[in-house]
Amino acid sequence: MAKPAQGAKYRGSIHDFPGFDPNQDAEALYTAMKGFGSDKEAILDIITSRSNRQRQEICQSYKSLYGKDLIADLKYELTGKFERLIVGLMRPPAYCDAKEIKDAISGIGTDEKCLIEILASRTNEQMHQLVAAYKDAYERDLEADIIGDTSGHFQKMLVVLLQGTREEDDVVSEDLVQQDVQDLYEAGELKWGTDEAQFIYILGNRSKQHLRLVFDEYLKTTGKPIEASIRGELSGDFEKLMLAVVKCIRSTPEYFAERLFKAMKGLGTRDNTLIRIMVSRSELDMLDIREIFRTKYEKSLYSMIKNDTSGEYKKSLLKLCGGDDDAAGQFFPEAAQVAYQMWELSAVARVELKGTVRPANDFNPDADAKALRKAMKGLGTDEDTIIDIITHRSNAQRQQIRQTFKSHFGRDLMSDLKSEISGDLARLILGLMMPPAHYDAKQLKKAMEGAGTDEKALIEILATRTNAEIRAINEAYKEDYHKSLEDALSSDTSGHFRRILISLATGDREEGGENLDQAREDAQVAAEILEIADTPSGDKASLETRFMTILCTRSYPHLRRVFQEFIKMTNYDVEHTIKKEMSGDVRDAFVAIVQSVKNKPLFFADKLYKSMKGAGTDEKTLTRIMVSRSEIDLLNIRREFIEKYDKSLHQAIEGDTSGDFLKALLALCGGED
């Protein structure tokens, strides 16, 4: 097993057991498996409380005392997932990896995800030990077996990683960093086709420290993260492998935290993945994985395992996890530092926002108007033509089509569309035909009319629009409904929720950068109103007003710094704390603001996912987001969606809608990730 560098802090959850006696443990295990049935509690208690080195000594003592193979006896006595976990713990790490890879390439089909996970994440030393263990256990050459079971660029990168020759020098040449950035850019974005060999050479051989600087410079130079270029230029298992390599270069614990989350989210559990990671990382970086898991997913790894597994299997996994970090939503100190660093990265990153709908080339409003008229004339309607034209034109081009349609035929295109199409398709197409500000104004009006109020729609729109967009909405609302938006909000909402919405609806958010001293002051106000500060410095009503003012009027860069200072000051995450300490519409509004500041495309990706998960579909939310974001950041939303939910937005829409509505949504979606 690779040992931590001299002086490095041990970050595993499993330690050498004090007062260890291998003979005594061997006897206890023999007794636990003797006779009818087995004492599984005793088995898991011993094996999950010993380090791997100590388990090897127990194996030797067991053989000496009883002339039997301990692993063979455990396999005979135990079954299922519990057996797989316990037997995995009993093998030396390199042999455990060798067994996982052998299973991944044996039989029909290949478990590419297993190959990617192991070969993208292991150090040079671990890789050399793996190759030797595979040879010893199976009398076969691992490289030859991988070559025989994979192909193409995916195979080439696996073979490069398998050599275990990644540079390990932490001294980085600035000139070489710039050269690698240029080479990657020219191999991908600037080239017709992709020079995969450059990606393989650079990502497969350069040191981690060097590559982190390459990634930083790549973002500054191109305006997009290296991950976006990989997704755009590569495909299939090769793309997944390269993304895994990048994630491990950035942070191996974060890569495993994400793998664990995906193994347990949704219906069913990917137990092989869960077992493999919990076994392989328990003596390496499980504490780091736990910290990042808690930071990213707002729940502890312990609590997720507890809710997702059962029996002795669950008890063993929880022992390997080593503790619960969910005490009242608080980060333990190291996790706060991880969160702090994540905010530093988010403050630096300036990812270009991109929509999926762009102005059509060779646009001819005259031809489009005639084609639409023909599609709606006579008996029946040609929905395919309507969808094709309207979803492939920018909003500005659609407005030109409306004018041309009126000039040619003396008819209102919107009225004709209303009479020819209906239901969800009509809502989508008519929404696309409206100027964005008028569309948002209409959505706000619909959210406030009738018996109840759609608070979620009000929050979604007002918490996410820019100052310019909000001001345009105000003008459109006044023009269309002869009433100010503020008056409408005042008459339809109440209390703190009304004050928040009216503040957002002024479109008066600051647009400057951050102010560190002010950010610390603002973070203190947040800590006091959320009742986690040591000494409140003002009355509650005054603090509530100040907190609302901070969230509703400070600039996004400044608020990012406030959230960062809040973590530093309290060891809590502001979003998680708002969810815990507040309730109702006020909580939902503040959470939406925080999420929008953190990552607006991710906010919309979450909303889209929730609109399609479970029984039934929230077509109104789905339509509203697809219409409003299609020319702004829907491409970014797609990327966040696949990153978080492990399926593409295209797949989710395809599985949850049908007919012409489905066709129109997929056209707006703009492609399969």
Side-chain angles (χ1 to χ4, degrees), residues 356 634-642 649 669-671 673:
T356 53
L634 190 51
L635 194 58
N636 307 79
I637 292 167
R638 272 172 40 187
R639 287 172 182 157
E640 296 292 347
F641 195 98
I642 197 169
L649 177 57
C669 186
D673 294 299

Side-chain angles (χ1 to χ4, degrees), residues 183-246:
D183 287 347
L184 286 170
Y185 191 43
E186 289 176 358
E189 299 285 339
L190 294 183
K191 187 179 177 66
W192 180 260
T194 306
D195 182 357
E196 290 86 354
Q198 280 286 23
F199 279 86
I200 290 170
Y201 177 75
I202 293 170
L203 294 181
N205 290 285
R206 299 288 193 236
S207 74
K208 287 193 169 189
Q209 183 61 29
H210 174 90
L211 285 172
R212 287 182 193 122
L213 292 176
V214 167
F215 300 160
D216 290 344
E217 282 302 312
Y218 192 91
L219 178 61
K220 289 177 193 171
T221 302
T222 68
K224 62 165 66 175
I226 187 70
E227 291 90 337
S229 289
I230 287 172
R231 287 193 185 96
E233 298 299 323
L234 311 180
S235 62
D237 292 323
F238 181 47
E239 175 197 340
K240 290 171 188 168
L241 173 59
M242 298 306 260
L243 287 172
V245 169
V246 170

Side-chain angles (χ1 to χ4, degrees), residues 458-476:
L458 297 179
I459 291 167
E460 177 201 303
I461 295 169
L462 294 175
T464 61
R465 301 314 192 244
T466 65
N467 283 344
E469 288 168 338
I470 291 281
R471 289 167 192 155
I473 292 168
N474 274 291
E475 289 177 21

Side-chain angles (χ1 to χ4, degrees), residues 547-559:
F547 185 59
M548 185 191 77
T549 301
I550 290 164
L551 286 186
C552 294
T553 67
R554 300 285 196 253
S555 72
Y556 272 29
H558 180 82
L559 282 174

Side-chain angles (χ1 to χ4, degrees), residues 15-41:
H15 303 258
D16 280 341
F17 188 76
F20 170 63
D21 183 337
N23 286 334
Q24 186 178 316
D25 285 347
E27 288 172 14
L29 287 169
Y30 182 76
T31 302
M33 293 186 283
K34 194 176 175 184
F36 188 71
S38 54
D39 184 351
K40 297 180 179 66
E41 194 83 35

Side-chain angles (χ1 to χ4, degrees), residues 356-477:
T356 53
V357 175
R358 299 174 182 85
N361 296 324
D362 302 321
F363 172 59
N364 185 335
D366 188 69
D368 284 347
K370 288 175 180 173
L372 287 169
R373 174 65 177 149
K374 183 179 178 184
M376 295 185 284
K377 197 174 178 183
L379 192 64
T381 306
D382 181 358
E383 286 88 355
D384 285 348
T385 296
I386 295 171
I387 291 167
D388 187 55
I389 292 173
I390 291 176
T391 60
H392 291 96
R393 306 295 183 269
S394 68
N395 194 274
Q397 290 175 333
R398 293 182 206 124
Q399 303 317 309
Q400 287 182 254
I401 295 170
R402 283 179 70 176
Q403 292 169 358
T404 305
F405 195 90
K406 187 84 167 176
S407 300
H408 273 324
F409 308 111
R411 302 170 65 89
D412 179 61
L413 177 55
M414 295 285 279
S415 297
D416 280 8
L417 287 168
K418 274 184 189 175
S419 68
E420 292 292 329
I421 55 177
S422 60
D424 296 327
L425 178 64
R427 261 196 298 271
L428 182 67
I429 294 296
L430 292 169
L432 290 168
M433 290 305 302
M434 297 178 73
H438 289 266
Y439 179 71
D440 278 346
K442 183 174 182 182
Q443 296 306 302
L444 291 168
K445 179 75 164 61
K446 288 171 78 70
M448 291 184 281
E449 66 187 10
T453 303
D454 184 351
E455 291 86 2
K456 288 182 179 177
L458 297 179
I459 291 167
E460 177 201 303
I461 295 169
L462 294 175
T464 61
R465 301 314 192 244
T466 65
N467 283 344
E469 288 168 338
I470 291 281
R471 289 167 192 155
I473 292 168
N474 274 291
E475 289 177 21
Y477 200 95

